[in-house]
Amino acid sequence: MKQICVLGAGYVGLVTSACFADLGNNITCIDIDENKIETLNRGESPIFEPGLSEMMQRNIRAGRLHFTTSYAEGLKDAEFVFVAVGTPSGADGEAELKYVRMAAEGIAKAMQHPLIIINKSTVPVGTGDWVADIITKRQDHPIPFWVVSNPEFLREGSAIYDFMNPDRVVLGSLHPEAAEKVASLHRPLRTTIQITDLRTAEMIKYASNAFLATRISFINEIATICEELGADVKEVAIGMGHDKRIGPHFLDAGLGFGGSCFPKDVRALEHMALIHGAHPQLLRAVLDINKHQRRQAIVKLRAMLNGLRDRKIGMLGLAFKPNTDDMREAPSVDIARQLMREGALVQAYDPVAMAEAARELPDVRLVENAYEVAEGVDALMVITEWNEFRQLSMKRIKESMAGDVLIDGRNIYDPDRMARLGFRYAGVGRGPQHSNGG
Ligand code: UGA
């Protein structure tokens, strides 16, 4: 059993705390938000993540998981400190490091014995060195410490599974012995552990997210071309994915990527490149195509309805992807706001993001279920591909709508079947012969 402190009770911090506790370690998780710590100490998770509450409760009961606002308490017996604080996008795309700075200062003031400080937050390349510098300057008296970068690759919605079954663990440090100790914490996960230097580890995270975002924008660009040429991007992606060099994942064309990571990280990498004199034209194109996908859905709808004023539109799904209530940078937000700006009335349903939606989109009428979304609408849009939308009675949906337009922003329905049911169907990247029942 190792003594571990985790700084930050956000997504990554909570999952890291719960999973390391479940692996038998003793965890104290620190957050500056007192309300959050109270909620957590009652065993309640402030975020929706499958399996997280159960895992937290189990480990709180076993006495392996504690929450506090006090650095002194959190660091008292710790050998390892994981920093998992937020790094939101600043003004020009630059990652905002104020929480990382606060964490470094807090550690410097409270530490009483040597510590291995492991950064999990996605931070600009060079931040590890900067953190080491802050701690050295802020310590009252010199106590040894070692900084390790350990980028996180888990996805919202499958975070527990991803943590426990990683494709790899990346550790970067100027001190191989420290990295080796952190590696030993991860050995129970039985995966490849890559040990490299600090800056390279930081870069691996950005490069990975940017590459995945690039795959999505790539397939979305192919989708746009497919629409013009009468090909079906879903089949194209399957055909491409069989090539082992390409692989089948992250080739779903749709409304593009959202969430708290891809948009922010691609912007941050672009910014890093720019200020160091590089010319990140591919990254710029990735972001540009991503914006285009959202706009394009509205262009299609406007054309199919002959304008949007006073049209009633139903939206299925609001979260940025299924299995989360997160609406950060979600396509639903841009699309709903634009529709309303053009005079449309919007009603919507999401299986878990309703509370979030009420805050983000106060002018959208939120209804109880998918069938209610369809009632009396001129057009229905699939925004998030929740599984429960795949099994709807589309006949019933069609009958309750006033109009016949179906914009399938995630390609979850069969175009020919939808045409047979009487919908005017538009998916993403499914050319005309796939939208007229032919
Ligand atoms: C992403 C990465 O996948 C994680 O490895 C990483 O740890 C995380 O960011 C992070 O940096 O913290 P996440 O944002 O939770 O995870 O979600 P993903 O499942 O990767 O999806 C991101 C977006 O891409 C979603 O909006 C999704 O709808 C979209 N997407 C994904 C597509 O449009 N097409 C696809 O084929 C796949």
Side-chain angles (χ1 to χ4, degrees):
M1 176 194 278
K2 296 286 183 190
Q3 299 287 337
I4 299 173
C5 171
V6 176
L7 276 182
Y11 227 98
V12 172
L14 281 181
V15 172
T16 303
S17 299
C19 289
F20 272 133
D22 219 54
L23 291 171
N25 300 290
N26 194 22
I27 313 295
T28 306
C29 176
I30 305 177
D31 199 285
I32 48 175
D33 182 340
E34 284 181 18
N35 290 333
K36 203 187 241 186
I37 292 299
E38 259 176 45
T39 311
L40 287 163
N41 272 324
R42 286 197 302 270
E44 293 167 26
S45 167
I47 51 173
F48 174 84
E49 179 62 39
L52 180 59
S53 292
E54 295 81 344
M55 189 181 265
M56 275 172 47
Q57 283 157 13
R58 185 164 72 237
N59 285 285
I60 290 172
R61 274 197 306 274
R64 288 191 296 261
L65 180 56
H66 321 266
F67 297 96
T68 178
T69 52
S70 155
Y71 273 74
E73 190 185 330
L75 294 183
K76 192 157 68 75
D77 302 312
E79 182 183 351
F80 301 92
V81 186
F82 283 88
V83 178
V85 296
T87 51
S89 258
D92 39 13
E94 189 178 9
E96 167 73 79
L97 288 177
K98 73 173 177 223
Y99 300 112
V100 177
R101 175 191 280 279
M102 279 163 65
E105 290 173 350
I107 294 171
K109 289 208 183 85
M111 68 188 286
Q112 298 294 334
H113 56 262
L115 284 176
I116 297 179
I117 298 161
I118 307 123
N119 184 44
K120 264 197 172 310
S121 306
T122 303
V123 289
V125 177
T127 301
D129 300 328
W130 177 73
V131 163
D133 213 43
I134 294 177
I135 297 177
T136 309
K137 285 189 183 132
R138 294 295 174 112
Q139 281 178 330
D140 294 333
H141 48 276
I143 303 172
F145 68 92
W146 304 271
V147 174
V148 177
S149 164
N150 169 215
E152 184 50 69
F153 300 107
L154 55 81
R155 291 163 299 177
E156 291 188 19
S158 55
I160 301 275
Y161 177 88
D162 289 348
F163 187 98
M164 293 298 198
N165 303 276
D167 288 342
R168 79 304 207 183
V169 168
V170 173
L171 300 172
S173 184
L174 300 174
H175 310 282
E177 325 75 60
E180 200 41 62
K181 283 193 180 158
V182 183
S184 68
L185 287 180
H186 291 88
R187 290 263 143 69
L189 302 177
R190 295 167 187 278
T191 189
T192 306
I193 299 180
Q194 180 187 4
I195 297 186
T196 180
D197 66 85
L198 204 47
R199 285 171 180 244
T200 302
E202 290 169 342
M203 189 61 179
I204 287 172
K205 170 67 190 209
Y206 278 107
S208 300
N209 272 5
F211 185 76
L212 292 170
T214 303
R215 275 179 77 104
I216 298 169
S217 280
F218 177 84
I219 200 67
N220 280 333
E221 180 141 297
I222 295 293
T224 305
I225 304 170
C226 282
E227 279 178 18
E228 297 303 321
L229 300 181
D232 184 343
V233 75
K234 261 190 112 151
E235 295 289 326
V236 172
I238 292 169
M240 287 167 63
H242 284 308
D243 186 324
K244 288 195 185 65
R245 295 167 302 175
I246 298 175
H249 304 292
F250 272 72
L251 285 178
D252 291 330
L255 297 173
F257 54 81
S260 63
C261 306
F262 286 176
K264 164 177 82 76
D265 292 348
V266 178
R267 283 197 297 267
L269 186 56
E270 182 198 11
H271 184 266
M272 266 183 272
L274 277 176
I275 59 171
H276 289 96
H279 185 39
Q281 40 191 323
L282 179 58
L283 300 179
R284 222 173 266 161
V286 167
L287 292 168
D288 195 38
I289 293 166
N290 201 48
K291 275 203 198 117
H292 175 82
Q293 292 308 107
R294 297 171 187 203
R295 284 197 297 259
Q296 211 40 34
I298 295 170
V299 169
K300 280 180 195 163
L301 191 62
R302 201 189 286 125
M304 290 170 90
L305 291 177
N306 287 322
L308 291 168
R309 176 149 303 279
D310 297 329
R311 303 289 190 220
K312 208 168 163 190
I313 316 293
M315 287 178 44
L316 288 177
L318 295 164
F320 84 95
K321 65 171 192 174
N323 299 322
T324 177
D325 63 351
D326 198 338
M327 285 180 60
R328 284 176 284 179
E329 308 223 17
S332 62
V333 178
D334 281 350
I335 292 173
R337 286 192 183 143
Q338 184 58 30
L339 293 178
M340 291 187 292
R341 232 176 270 135
E342 295 190 35
L345 304 164
V346 181
Q347 57 189 37
Y349 163 74
D350 187 282
V352 303
M354 298 296 257
E356 198 54 36
R359 276 191 294 275
E360 273 294 322
L361 295 168
D363 296 327
V364 167
R365 179 168 170 255
L366 298 174
V367 299
E368 295 284 305
N369 59 52
Y371 293 106
E372 240 185 272
V373 173
E375 276 171 26
V377 296
D378 298 297
L380 191 64
M381 300 181 90
V382 179
I383 305 288
T384 317
E385 67 278 32
W386 284 94
N387 273 340
E388 67 172 68
F389 300 154
R390 295 176 197 271
Q391 300 302 333
L392 295 172
S393 161
M394 294 308 283
K395 187 165 175 288
R396 182 175 156 195
I397 294 264
K398 172 72 185 52
E399 282 162 4
S400 67
M401 285 172 61
D404 58 3
V405 171
L406 177 58
I407 303 277
D408 184 359
R410 299 292 177 179
N411 289 343
I412 61 175
Y413 299 123
D414 177 51
D416 295 342
R417 186 165 165 260
M418 293 304 116
R420 281 199 298 278
L421 287 170
F423 285 106
R424 279 191 291 146
Y425 174 90
V428 179
R430 310 177 106 180
Q433 79 212 48
H434 296 277
S435 58
N436 61 10

